[in-house]
Amino acid sequence: MAYSVLIVDDSQSMRKFVRRVMDLSGFEVGSCWDAANGAEALALLRTHPVDIILTDINMPEMNGEEFVAELERHDAYRAIPVVVVSTDATENRIRRMIQIGARGYVVKPFSPEALRSELERVLGVAHD
Amino acid sequence: MTEMAMSEAISAAAADVLETMFFSPVMGEAAGDGAVPAAALAARLRFSGGRSGTFAVRISNSAAENMATNFLGEETEPPTASQVQDVICELTNMLCGSVLSRLDSKAHFDLGRPEPVDPLEAAPPESVSRAFDLGDGEVAVFLHLDLQP
C-alpha cells in the first residue's frame, strides 16, 4: 500500500532529504506534500488528506509543538499520525511531543531503516 | 563541562551525522595547522536552554558540494550555490543537536536558526574545536559555551 505523506520542515533541503530517504528505505510513498512550517501545513491539509505527517520542531511562524497541538484540536486531523523528525534527542523534548499528540519520534541522524521502522510502527504496518 | 568532554562529543557527533545523513565518512583528523581553507563555506547558530552558546561549522567548498550532492541525491544536476549553503546550514543544525544531546541528554535546549557566515569569522572566540578530513576536503566544528552566571 502506498501512503500519502506530508513533510513539514523549514529547510527545503531537509524536506527533499526525508523524501529521498523514505524512497531509499522502501517505504511506499504515493502522494507526497511538503510545507515549510505548521501554518502552511494546516492550510495544505484542508485540501490534501494524508495518511501520515512528518514534522520538524524548530520552525518559524508555527513550530512543530504548536502544529501538533493544533492538530489535536481538530476532529478532522486528530487521527492522522504524526512522527517528529528532530535533532533534539533530549528526554524532555521527546516526552513533551508524545504528550501533546505525536505518535512517533525520529532523531537526526537517522538511517533509512530507522525511519521506515518508525513510520510503519506508527501506522501499525508489519515490515516485509 | 570539560573541554575533553566537549571535544569527544564533537568527534562522536561528526562521525555519526556525516556518515549517516550526508554519506561523507570521516577519514580522520584533518592534517595541517588549522588555517582556513582558501575556498570554504561556514554557518553558525546560537543555542539556549540548559546552557547557552554558539556552534559553528566551516567546510571546504569541494567537500560542501559533494556533501550537498549526496544529501539531495542530485545525480544529474549539480546543486546550486544556494542549495549547498542550505545543506551546510542543515549540517550545522544537526551537528549542534547531536553534540548537545550527547553532552546532556536530560537538559532542555533550543537551537536558533543557522545562518551563513564568513568562513574567516566562523570560529567563536575561546571555542573548543575539532577538524576532520573527509577525503575531498575538511570540515571544522566549533563549540563555545557561554559562562554560566
PDB file of all heavy atoms in Angstrom, chain A residues 6-15 33-44 54-64 67, chain B residues 113:
ATOM      1  N   LEU A   6       2.822  13.939   4.353  1.00  0.00           N
ATOM      2  CA  LEU A   6       3.088  15.376   4.452  1.00  0.00           C
ATOM      3  C   LEU A   6       4.383  15.560   5.241  1.00  0.00           C
ATOM      4  O   LEU A   6       4.496  15.069   6.370  1.00  0.00           O
ATOM      5  CB  LEU A   6       1.934  16.093   5.143  1.00  0.00           C
ATOM      6  CG  LEU A   6       2.155  17.567   5.522  1.00  0.00           C
ATOM      7  CD1 LEU A   6       2.454  18.419   4.296  1.00  0.00           C
ATOM      8  CD2 LEU A   6       0.939  18.121   6.254  1.00  0.00           C
ATOM      9  N   ILE A   7       5.352  16.266   4.642  1.00  0.00           N
ATOM     10  CA  ILE A   7       6.628  16.539   5.304  1.00  0.00           C
ATOM     11  C   ILE A   7       6.680  18.022   5.659  1.00  0.00           C
ATOM     12  O   ILE A   7       6.494  18.880   4.784  1.00  0.00           O
ATOM     13  CB  ILE A   7       7.819  16.197   4.375  1.00  0.00           C
ATOM     14  CG1 ILE A   7       7.776  14.728   3.959  1.00  0.00           C
ATOM     15  CG2 ILE A   7       9.149  16.517   5.070  1.00  0.00           C
ATOM     16  CD1 ILE A   7       8.755  14.365   2.854  1.00  0.00           C
ATOM     17  N   VAL A   8       6.903  18.328   6.930  1.00  0.00           N
ATOM     18  CA  VAL A   8       6.899  19.713   7.397  1.00  0.00           C
ATOM     19  C   VAL A   8       8.274  20.049   7.987  1.00  0.00           C
ATOM     20  O   VAL A   8       8.677  19.461   9.000  1.00  0.00           O
ATOM     21  CB  VAL A   8       5.800  19.941   8.461  1.00  0.00           C
ATOM     22  CG1 VAL A   8       5.638  21.423   8.748  1.00  0.00           C
ATOM     23  CG2 VAL A   8       4.474  19.338   8.012  1.00  0.00           C
ATOM     24  N   ASP A   9       8.974  20.970   7.342  1.00  0.00           N
ATOM     25  CA  ASP A   9      10.321  21.365   7.796  1.00  0.00           C
ATOM     26  C   ASP A   9      10.657  22.682   7.111  1.00  0.00           C
ATOM     27  O   ASP A   9      10.349  22.860   5.935  1.00  0.00           O
ATOM     28  CB  ASP A   9      11.346  20.292   7.412  1.00  0.00           C
ATOM     29  CG  ASP A   9      12.668  20.446   8.163  1.00  0.00           C
ATOM     30  OD1 ASP A   9      13.305  21.527   8.064  1.00  0.00           O
ATOM     31  OD2 ASP A   9      13.089  19.494   8.831  1.00  0.00           O
ATOM     32  N   ASP A  10      11.289  23.602   7.833  1.00  0.00           N
ATOM     33  CA  ASP A  10      11.589  24.896   7.220  1.00  0.00           C
ATOM     34  C   ASP A  10      12.778  24.821   6.262  1.00  0.00           C
ATOM     35  O   ASP A  10      13.041  25.777   5.537  1.00  0.00           O
ATOM     36  CB  ASP A  10      11.823  25.976   8.283  1.00  0.00           C
ATOM     37  CG  ASP A  10      12.961  25.648   9.232  1.00  0.00           C
ATOM     38  OD1 ASP A  10      13.194  24.456   9.488  1.00  0.00           O
ATOM     39  OD2 ASP A  10      13.610  26.574   9.722  1.00  0.00           O
ATOM     40  N   SER A  11      13.501  23.716   6.246  1.00  0.00           N
ATOM     41  CA  SER A  11      14.615  23.545   5.318  1.00  0.00           C
ATOM     42  C   SER A  11      14.156  22.750   4.096  1.00  0.00           C
ATOM     43  O   SER A  11      13.753  21.585   4.205  1.00  0.00           O
ATOM     44  CB  SER A  11      15.769  22.814   5.998  1.00  0.00           C
ATOM     45  OG  SER A  11      16.699  22.332   5.045  1.00  0.00           O
ATOM     46  N   GLN A  12      14.228  23.401   2.930  1.00  0.00           N
ATOM     47  CA  GLN A  12      13.842  22.704   1.700  1.00  0.00           C
ATOM     48  C   GLN A  12      14.743  21.494   1.462  1.00  0.00           C
ATOM     49  O   GLN A  12      14.280  20.445   1.000  1.00  0.00           O
ATOM     50  CB  GLN A  12      13.939  23.672   0.511  1.00  0.00           C
ATOM     51  CG  GLN A  12      13.422  23.082  -0.791  1.00  0.00           C
ATOM     52  CD  GLN A  12      13.584  24.036  -1.954  1.00  0.00           C
ATOM     53  OE1 GLN A  12      14.661  24.580  -2.194  1.00  0.00           O
ATOM     54  NE2 GLN A  12      12.524  24.242  -2.690  1.00  0.00           N
ATOM     55  N   SER A  13      16.017  21.643   1.800  1.00  0.00           N
ATOM     56  CA  SER A  13      16.947  20.523   1.629  1.00  0.00           C
ATOM     57  C   SER A  13      16.527  19.336   2.490  1.00  0.00           C
ATOM     58  O   SER A  13      16.589  18.182   2.058  1.00  0.00           O
ATOM     59  CB  SER A  13      18.368  20.938   2.014  1.00  0.00           C
ATOM     60  OG  SER A  13      18.828  21.974   1.210  1.00  0.00           O
ATOM     61  N   MET A  14      16.100  19.642   3.709  1.00  0.00           N
ATOM     62  CA  MET A  14      15.709  18.570   4.625  1.00  0.00           C
ATOM     63  C   MET A  14      14.434  17.893   4.130  1.00  0.00           C
ATOM     64  O   MET A  14      14.307  16.670   4.214  1.00  0.00           O
ATOM     65  CB  MET A  14      15.498  19.137   6.023  1.00  0.00           C
ATOM     66  CG  MET A  14      15.466  18.079   7.110  1.00  0.00           C
ATOM     67  SD  MET A  14      17.058  17.230   7.231  1.00  0.00           S
ATOM     68  CE  MET A  14      16.530  15.604   7.710  1.00  0.00           C
ATOM     69  N   ARG A  15      13.505  18.647   3.606  1.00  0.00           N
ATOM     70  CA  ARG A  15      12.260  18.052   3.079  1.00  0.00           C
ATOM     71  C   ARG A  15      12.593  17.103   1.931  1.00  0.00           C
ATOM     72  O   ARG A  15      12.075  15.995   1.838  1.00  0.00           O
ATOM     73  CB  ARG A  15      11.298  19.141   2.607  1.00  0.00           C
ATOM     74  CG  ARG A  15      10.818  20.065   3.723  1.00  0.00           C
ATOM     75  CD  ARG A  15       9.566  20.853   3.312  1.00  0.00           C
ATOM     76  NE  ARG A  15       9.746  21.688   2.140  1.00  0.00           N
ATOM     77  CZ  ARG A  15      10.124  22.954   2.173  1.00  0.00           C
ATOM     78  NH1 ARG A  15      10.416  23.532   3.318  1.00  0.00           N
ATOM     79  NH2 ARG A  15      10.209  23.650   1.053  1.00  0.00           N
ATOM     80  N   TRP A  33       3.440  15.586  -0.011  1.00  0.00           N
ATOM     81  CA  TRP A  33       3.282  17.048   0.061  1.00  0.00           C
ATOM     82  C   TRP A  33       4.287  17.583   1.056  1.00  0.00           C
ATOM     83  O   TRP A  33       4.747  16.872   1.940  1.00  0.00           O
ATOM     84  CB  TRP A  33       1.860  17.392   0.515  1.00  0.00           C
ATOM     85  CG  TRP A  33       0.813  16.640  -0.231  1.00  0.00           C
ATOM     86  CD1 TRP A  33       0.116  15.566   0.200  1.00  0.00           C
ATOM     87  CD2 TRP A  33       0.362  16.887  -1.565  1.00  0.00           C
ATOM     88  NE1 TRP A  33      -0.739  15.119  -0.771  1.00  0.00           N
ATOM     89  CE2 TRP A  33      -0.617  15.905  -1.871  1.00  0.00           C
ATOM     90  CE3 TRP A  33       0.685  17.856  -2.532  1.00  0.00           C
ATOM     91  CZ2 TRP A  33      -1.267  15.871  -3.100  1.00  0.00           C
ATOM     92  CZ3 TRP A  33       0.032  17.810  -3.744  1.00  0.00           C
ATOM     93  CH2 TRP A  33      -0.933  16.822  -4.019  1.00  0.00           C
ATOM     94  N   ASP A  34       4.639  18.859   0.901  1.00  0.00           N
ATOM     95  CA  ASP A  34       5.558  19.430   1.891  1.00  0.00           C
ATOM     96  C   ASP A  34       5.181  20.863   2.223  1.00  0.00           C
ATOM     97  O   ASP A  34       4.538  21.556   1.425  1.00  0.00           O
ATOM     98  CB  ASP A  34       7.015  19.329   1.416  1.00  0.00           C
ATOM     99  CG  ASP A  34       7.292  20.118   0.173  1.00  0.00           C
ATOM    100  OD1 ASP A  34       6.885  19.665  -0.918  1.00  0.00           O
ATOM    101  OD2 ASP A  34       7.916  21.193   0.278  1.00  0.00           O
ATOM    102  N   ALA A  35       5.571  21.251   3.416  1.00  0.00           N
ATOM    103  CA  ALA A  35       5.282  22.596   3.916  1.00  0.00           C
ATOM    104  C   ALA A  35       6.466  23.080   4.735  1.00  0.00           C
ATOM    105  O   ALA A  35       7.195  22.272   5.315  1.00  0.00           O
ATOM    106  CB  ALA A  35       4.015  22.571   4.777  1.00  0.00           C
ATOM    107  N   ALA A  36       6.631  24.405   4.781  1.00  0.00           N
ATOM    108  CA  ALA A  36       7.800  24.983   5.444  1.00  0.00           C
ATOM    109  C   ALA A  36       7.563  25.281   6.925  1.00  0.00           C
ATOM    110  O   ALA A  36       8.506  25.638   7.637  1.00  0.00           O
ATOM    111  CB  ALA A  36       8.229  26.252   4.725  1.00  0.00           C
ATOM    112  N   ASN A  37       6.315  25.176   7.380  1.00  0.00           N
ATOM    113  CA  ASN A  37       6.023  25.398   8.798  1.00  0.00           C
ATOM    114  C   ASN A  37       4.630  24.876   9.096  1.00  0.00           C
ATOM    115  O   ASN A  37       3.902  24.450   8.196  1.00  0.00           O
ATOM    116  CB  ASN A  37       6.137  26.888   9.153  1.00  0.00           C
ATOM    117  CG  ASN A  37       5.241  27.756   8.307  1.00  0.00           C
ATOM    118  OD1 ASN A  37       4.011  27.637   8.348  1.00  0.00           O
ATOM    119  ND2 ASN A  37       5.833  28.631   7.510  1.00  0.00           N
ATOM    120  N   GLY A  38       4.246  24.928  10.351  1.00  0.00           N
ATOM    121  CA  GLY A  38       2.969  24.378  10.759  1.00  0.00           C
ATOM    122  C   GLY A  38       1.774  25.072  10.121  1.00  0.00           C
ATOM    123  O   GLY A  38       0.781  24.423   9.777  1.00  0.00           O
ATOM    124  N   ALA A  39       1.864  26.388   9.970  1.00  0.00           N
ATOM    125  CA  ALA A  39       0.748  27.134   9.393  1.00  0.00           C
ATOM    126  C   ALA A  39       0.511  26.716   7.944  1.00  0.00           C
ATOM    127  O   ALA A  39      -0.634  26.494   7.520  1.00  0.00           O
ATOM    128  CB  ALA A  39       1.021  28.633   9.478  1.00  0.00           C
ATOM    129  N   GLU A  40       1.588  26.588   7.186  1.00  0.00           N
ATOM    130  CA  GLU A  40       1.466  26.126   5.792  1.00  0.00           C
ATOM    131  C   GLU A  40       0.898  24.726   5.742  1.00  0.00           C
ATOM    132  O   GLU A  40       0.087  24.389   4.865  1.00  0.00           O
ATOM    133  CB  GLU A  40       2.846  26.105   5.120  1.00  0.00           C
ATOM    134  CG  GLU A  40       3.232  27.402   4.438  1.00  0.00           C
ATOM    135  CD  GLU A  40       4.501  27.246   3.598  1.00  0.00           C
ATOM    136  OE1 GLU A  40       4.735  26.146   3.057  1.00  0.00           O
ATOM    137  OE2 GLU A  40       5.239  28.233   3.525  1.00  0.00           O
ATOM    138  N   ALA A  41       1.342  23.899   6.669  1.00  0.00           N
ATOM    139  CA  ALA A  41       0.881  22.510   6.698  1.00  0.00           C
ATOM    140  C   ALA A  41      -0.619  22.443   6.968  1.00  0.00           C
ATOM    141  O   ALA A  41      -1.343  21.671   6.326  1.00  0.00           O
ATOM    142  CB  ALA A  41       1.651  21.728   7.760  1.00  0.00           C
ATOM    143  N   LEU A  42      -1.108  23.244   7.893  1.00  0.00           N
ATOM    144  CA  LEU A  42      -2.540  23.254   8.199  1.00  0.00           C
ATOM    145  C   LEU A  42      -3.344  23.702   6.989  1.00  0.00           C
ATOM    146  O   LEU A  42      -4.402  23.140   6.684  1.00  0.00           O
ATOM    147  CB  LEU A  42      -2.814  24.182   9.385  1.00  0.00           C
ATOM    148  CG  LEU A  42      -2.418  23.640  10.757  1.00  0.00           C
ATOM    149  CD1 LEU A  42      -2.497  24.744  11.794  1.00  0.00           C
ATOM    150  CD2 LEU A  42      -3.289  22.450  11.157  1.00  0.00           C
ATOM    151  N   ALA A  43      -2.847  24.711   6.284  1.00  0.00           N
ATOM    152  CA  ALA A  43      -3.543  25.189   5.086  1.00  0.00           C
ATOM    153  C   ALA A  43      -3.596  24.089   4.035  1.00  0.00           C
ATOM    154  O   ALA A  43      -4.610  23.880   3.364  1.00  0.00           O
ATOM    155  CB  ALA A  43      -2.826  26.421   4.534  1.00  0.00           C
ATOM    156  N   LEU A  44      -2.531  23.353   3.900  1.00  0.00           N
ATOM    157  CA  LEU A  44      -2.451  22.295   2.908  1.00  0.00           C
ATOM    158  C   LEU A  44      -3.391  21.145   3.262  1.00  0.00           C
ATOM    159  O   LEU A  44      -4.020  20.535   2.387  1.00  0.00           O
ATOM    160  CB  LEU A  44      -0.999  21.805   2.822  1.00  0.00           C
ATOM    161  CG  LEU A  44      -0.563  21.075   1.575  1.00  0.00           C
ATOM    162  CD1 LEU A  44       0.881  21.411   1.252  1.00  0.00           C
ATOM    163  CD2 LEU A  44      -0.692  19.587   1.746  1.00  0.00           C
ATOM    164  N   LEU A  54       5.127  13.952   8.869  1.00  0.00           N
ATOM    165  CA  LEU A  54       6.440  14.017   9.488  1.00  0.00           C
ATOM    166  C   LEU A  54       6.755  15.491   9.709  1.00  0.00           C
ATOM    167  O   LEU A  54       6.653  16.289   8.781  1.00  0.00           O
ATOM    168  CB  LEU A  54       7.519  13.423   8.582  1.00  0.00           C
ATOM    169  CG  LEU A  54       7.544  11.898   8.409  1.00  0.00           C
ATOM    170  CD1 LEU A  54       6.460  11.442   7.441  1.00  0.00           C
ATOM    171  CD2 LEU A  54       8.894  11.432   7.908  1.00  0.00           C
ATOM    172  N   THR A  55       7.120  15.855  10.923  1.00  0.00           N
ATOM    173  CA  THR A  55       7.345  17.259  11.199  1.00  0.00           C
ATOM    174  C   THR A  55       8.610  17.510  12.015  1.00  0.00           C
ATOM    175  O   THR A  55       8.946  16.766  12.936  1.00  0.00           O
ATOM    176  CB  THR A  55       6.146  17.903  11.920  1.00  0.00           C
ATOM    177  OG1 THR A  55       6.403  19.309  12.088  1.00  0.00           O
ATOM    178  CG2 THR A  55       5.889  17.291  13.284  1.00  0.00           C
ATOM    179  N   ASP A  56       9.277  18.587  11.672  1.00  0.00           N
ATOM    180  CA  ASP A  56      10.376  19.128  12.462  1.00  0.00           C
ATOM    181  C   ASP A  56       9.752  19.867  13.645  1.00  0.00           C
ATOM    182  O   ASP A  56       8.527  20.069  13.700  1.00  0.00           O
ATOM    183  CB  ASP A  56      11.211  20.076  11.586  1.00  0.00           C
ATOM    184  CG  ASP A  56      12.483  20.552  12.257  1.00  0.00           C
ATOM    185  OD1 ASP A  56      12.901  19.966  13.283  1.00  0.00           O
ATOM    186  OD2 ASP A  56      13.090  21.519  11.739  1.00  0.00           O
ATOM    187  N   ILE A  57      10.578  20.302  14.579  1.00  0.00           N
ATOM    188  CA  ILE A  57      10.073  21.081  15.709  1.00  0.00           C
ATOM    189  C   ILE A  57      10.385  22.565  15.529  1.00  0.00           C
ATOM    190  O   ILE A  57       9.514  23.425  15.627  1.00  0.00           O
ATOM    191  CB  ILE A  57      10.693  20.588  17.037  1.00  0.00           C
ATOM    192  CG1 ILE A  57      10.289  19.134  17.307  1.00  0.00           C
ATOM    193  CG2 ILE A  57      10.248  21.484  18.188  1.00  0.00           C
ATOM    194  CD1 ILE A  57      10.933  18.534  18.546  1.00  0.00           C
ATOM    195  N   ASN A  58      11.637  22.859  15.250  1.00  0.00           N
ATOM    196  CA  ASN A  58      12.113  24.231  15.234  1.00  0.00           C
ATOM    197  C   ASN A  58      11.831  24.872  13.883  1.00  0.00           C
ATOM    198  O   ASN A  58      12.601  24.744  12.938  1.00  0.00           O
ATOM    199  CB  ASN A  58      13.615  24.234  15.518  1.00  0.00           C
ATOM    200  CG  ASN A  58      14.142  25.588  15.915  1.00  0.00           C
ATOM    201  OD1 ASN A  58      13.381  26.494  16.220  1.00  0.00           O
ATOM    202  ND2 ASN A  58      15.451  25.727  15.895  1.00  0.00           N
ATOM    203  N   MET A  59      10.680  25.566  13.773  1.00  0.00           N
ATOM    204  CA  MET A  59      10.285  26.218  12.518  1.00  0.00           C
ATOM    205  C   MET A  59       9.705  27.590  12.832  1.00  0.00           C
ATOM    206  O   MET A  59       9.115  27.772  13.894  1.00  0.00           O
ATOM    207  CB  MET A  59       9.215  25.395  11.790  1.00  0.00           C
ATOM    208  CG  MET A  59       9.638  23.986  11.433  1.00  0.00           C
ATOM    209  SD  MET A  59       8.332  23.063  10.578  1.00  0.00           S
ATOM    210  CE  MET A  59       7.179  22.763  11.914  1.00  0.00           C
ATOM    211  N   PRO A  60       9.841  28.534  11.918  1.00  0.00           N
ATOM    212  CA  PRO A  60       9.253  29.861  12.155  1.00  0.00           C
ATOM    213  C   PRO A  60       7.737  29.833  11.966  1.00  0.00           C
ATOM    214  O   PRO A  60       7.189  28.848  11.484  1.00  0.00           O
ATOM    215  CB  PRO A  60       9.913  30.720  11.072  1.00  0.00           C
ATOM    216  CG  PRO A  60      10.213  29.766   9.964  1.00  0.00           C
ATOM    217  CD  PRO A  60      10.513  28.440  10.611  1.00  0.00           C
ATOM    218  N   GLU A  61       7.085  30.866  12.345  1.00  0.00           N
ATOM    219  CA  GLU A  61       5.649  31.081  12.188  1.00  0.00           C
ATOM    220  C   GLU A  61       4.804  30.161  13.055  1.00  0.00           C
ATOM    221  O   GLU A  61       4.010  30.590  13.849  1.00  0.00           O
ATOM    222  CB  GLU A  61       5.225  30.939  10.719  1.00  0.00           C
ATOM    223  CG  GLU A  61       4.719  32.246  10.153  1.00  0.00           C
ATOM    224  CD  GLU A  61       4.173  32.129   8.784  1.00  0.00           C
ATOM    225  OE1 GLU A  61       4.982  32.217   7.848  1.00  0.00           O
ATOM    226  OE2 GLU A  61       2.952  31.958   8.650  1.00  0.00           O
ATOM    227  N   MET A  62       4.888  28.878  12.855  1.00  0.00           N
ATOM    228  CA  MET A  62       4.229  27.902  13.728  1.00  0.00           C
ATOM    229  C   MET A  62       5.182  26.721  13.858  1.00  0.00           C
ATOM    230  O   MET A  62       5.426  26.003  12.881  1.00  0.00           O
ATOM    231  CB  MET A  62       2.883  27.445  13.168  1.00  0.00           C
ATOM    232  CG  MET A  62       2.184  26.430  14.082  1.00  0.00           C
ATOM    233  SD  MET A  62       0.644  25.780  13.410  1.00  0.00           S
ATOM    234  CE  MET A  62      -0.478  27.121  13.786  1.00  0.00           C
ATOM    235  N   ASN A  63       5.721  26.525  15.064  1.00  0.00           N
ATOM    236  CA  ASN A  63       6.712  25.463  15.227  1.00  0.00           C
ATOM    237  C   ASN A  63       6.031  24.107  15.359  1.00  0.00           C
ATOM    238  O   ASN A  63       4.794  24.002  15.366  1.00  0.00           O
ATOM    239  CB  ASN A  63       7.642  25.754  16.408  1.00  0.00           C
ATOM    240  CG  ASN A  63       6.921  25.781  17.741  1.00  0.00           C
ATOM    241  OD1 ASN A  63       5.975  25.021  17.956  1.00  0.00           O
ATOM    242  ND2 ASN A  63       7.355  26.638  18.630  1.00  0.00           N
ATOM    243  N   GLY A  64       6.836  23.066  15.473  1.00  0.00           N
ATOM    244  CA  GLY A  64       6.297  21.717  15.480  1.00  0.00           C
ATOM    245  C   GLY A  64       5.409  21.436  16.681  1.00  0.00           C
ATOM    246  O   GLY A  64       4.397  20.735  16.580  1.00  0.00           O
ATOM    247  N   PHE A  67       2.134  23.109  16.088  1.00  0.00           N
ATOM    248  CA  PHE A  67       1.453  22.417  14.995  1.00  0.00           C
ATOM    249  C   PHE A  67       0.787  21.144  15.502  1.00  0.00           C
ATOM    250  O   PHE A  67      -0.399  20.898  15.236  1.00  0.00           O
ATOM    251  CB  PHE A  67       2.475  22.112  13.893  1.00  0.00           C
ATOM    252  CG  PHE A  67       1.967  21.272  12.759  1.00  0.00           C
ATOM    253  CD1 PHE A  67       0.803  21.591  12.079  1.00  0.00           C
ATOM    254  CD2 PHE A  67       2.673  20.146  12.349  1.00  0.00           C
ATOM    255  CE1 PHE A  67       0.341  20.816  11.020  1.00  0.00           C
ATOM    256  CE2 PHE A  67       2.224  19.359  11.297  1.00  0.00           C
ATOM    257  CZ  PHE A  67       1.062  19.690  10.625  1.00  0.00           C
TER     258      PHE A  67
ATOM    259  N   ARG B 113      18.220  29.586  14.431  1.00  0.00           N
ATOM    260  CA  ARG B 113      18.381  29.218  13.021  1.00  0.00           C
ATOM    261  C   ARG B 113      19.840  29.379  12.615  1.00  0.00           C
ATOM    262  O   ARG B 113      20.458  30.408  12.889  1.00  0.00           O
ATOM    263  CB  ARG B 113      17.520  30.124  12.146  1.00  0.00           C
ATOM    264  CG  ARG B 113      16.039  29.882  12.286  1.00  0.00           C
ATOM    265  CD  ARG B 113      15.274  30.875  11.454  1.00  0.00           C
ATOM    266  NE  ARG B 113      15.459  30.664  10.023  1.00  0.00           N
ATOM    267  CZ  ARG B 113      14.829  29.737   9.330  1.00  0.00           C
ATOM    268  NH1 ARG B 113      14.000  28.916   9.921  1.00  0.00           N
ATOM    269  NH2 ARG B 113      15.045  29.603   8.030  1.00  0.00           N
TER     270      ARG B 113
END
